[in-house]
Amino acid sequence: MIRFLLPVICLFLLHSCADNLPPYENTATDAIRLNQVGYYPATSKRAIITKATTASEFKVVDFQKNKTVFTAKLSESLIWDLAGETVQVADFSSLKQQGIFVLYVDGIGYSHPFEIKPAVLNKALKAAIKGQYYQRASMGLEKEYASLWERSKGHPDDSVLFHLSTGRSGVVVSPKGWYDAGDYGKYVVNGALSLGQMLTLYEQYPTII
């Protein structure tokens, strides 16, 4: 009986040691860079390690259970020319399990939490689309759609003076478009980008939009 139980006890102890991780305690490091919004189960999933480490592997840990669900080798050190950094890649694309996780590298610590689930980017998509509405110029925002951010029409821009740098005088009619960031400026490039994003969205998902 003892000979039978001994291997079982050893396996249990090994498993316990493998999950004997330090507590998270909001100690996420920026040296592990990943998509903090999350990943779809079937898509590629990678993190970039920007701090030198002697560790050869990384772990993906269930954030709520503090249990390792995935372990793999870190890549060899690579030079990221655009950032001027030496980095390693943690590829956990084969992890399909859904939940909230953190990535752990010994000697570096934990990443910020992230989710793996279907439709994980829906909230960000809705926020981006709402942003297109809230930033609209020359039109009011209705309470039905804007709620607390309801406002009346501002800046009709139907009689705009030419800037001195144009070498022109008089006025031009230039209504609508989008306010830029937190001010009332409007720019052709930024307006074209917003319009391009909406047209691309319609082109790619005509049955949804």
Side-chain angles (χ1 to χ4, degrees):
M1 184 66 175
I2 294 176
R3 284 190 300 174
F4 171 76
L5 288 175
L6 189 58
V8 176
I9 293 171
C10 289
L11 285 172
F12 175 78
L13 290 174
L14 285 172
H15 179 74
S16 299
C17 291
D19 279 345
N20 187 23
L21 300 170
Y24 178 78
E25 295 180 346
N26 295 319
T27 55
T29 172
D30 291 333
I32 301 177
R33 300 175 185 173
L34 43 66
N35 187 341
Q36 295 175 35
V37 177
Y39 302 86
Y40 294 111
T43 57
S44 62
K45 309 171 190 71
R46 296 184 180 90
I48 304 299
I49 315 302
T50 62
K51 183 178 178 181
T53 175
T54 57
S56 61
E57 64 179 24
F58 68 94
K59 301 176 185 293
V60 178
V61 181
D62 187 304
F63 185 62
Q64 296 170 320
K65 299 178 181 178
N66 194 37
K67 180 180 179 181
T68 300
V69 297
F70 183 88
T71 302
K73 296 290 185 181
L74 290 168
S75 75
E76 297 295 325
S77 294
L78 305 166
I79 303 297
W80 189 1
D81 291 330
L82 293 177
E85 294 177 322
T86 300
V87 302
Q88 290 177 276
V89 179
D91 191 329
F92 52 105
S93 300
S94 59
L95 177 62
K96 305 292 193 297
Q97 181 177 330
Q98 297 180 36
I100 302 175
F101 305 95
V102 287
L103 191 144
Y104 177 78
V105 179
D106 190 33
I108 294 181
Y110 289 100
S111 72
H112 292 278
F114 60 90
E115 281 191 273
I116 298 178
K117 69 176 184 180
V120 70
L121 300 180
N122 275 18
K123 187 175 180 180
L125 172 63
K126 290 178 181 178
I129 292 175
K130 283 184 177 180
Q132 299 280 16
Y133 178 65
Y134 291 143
Q135 292 293 106
R136 285 289 289 168
S138 309
M139 63 172 279
L141 303 187
E142 300 177 31
K143 186 175 182 62
E144 179 182 356
Y145 306 109
S147 185
L148 297 175
W149 293 273
E150 170 195 16
R151 61 171 170 79
S152 58
K153 174 181 176 180
H155 301 90
D157 292 337
D158 53 7
S159 183
V160 181
L161 292 171
F162 281 105
H163 193 272
L164 290 175
S165 63
T166 65
R168 301 175 64 180
S169 60
V171 298
V172 64
V173 177
S174 180
K176 300 185 179 179
W178 291 268
Y179 293 125
D180 185 69
D183 55 50
Y184 295 131
K186 294 193 301 183
Y187 304 94
V188 173
V189 172
N190 298 8
L193 176 63
S194 298
L195 183 59
Q197 288 174 331
M198 290 192 293
L199 291 174
T200 300
L201 189 63
Y202 179 74
E203 182 179 54
Q204 294 181 348
Y205 303 98
T207 60
I208 298 176
I209 305 303

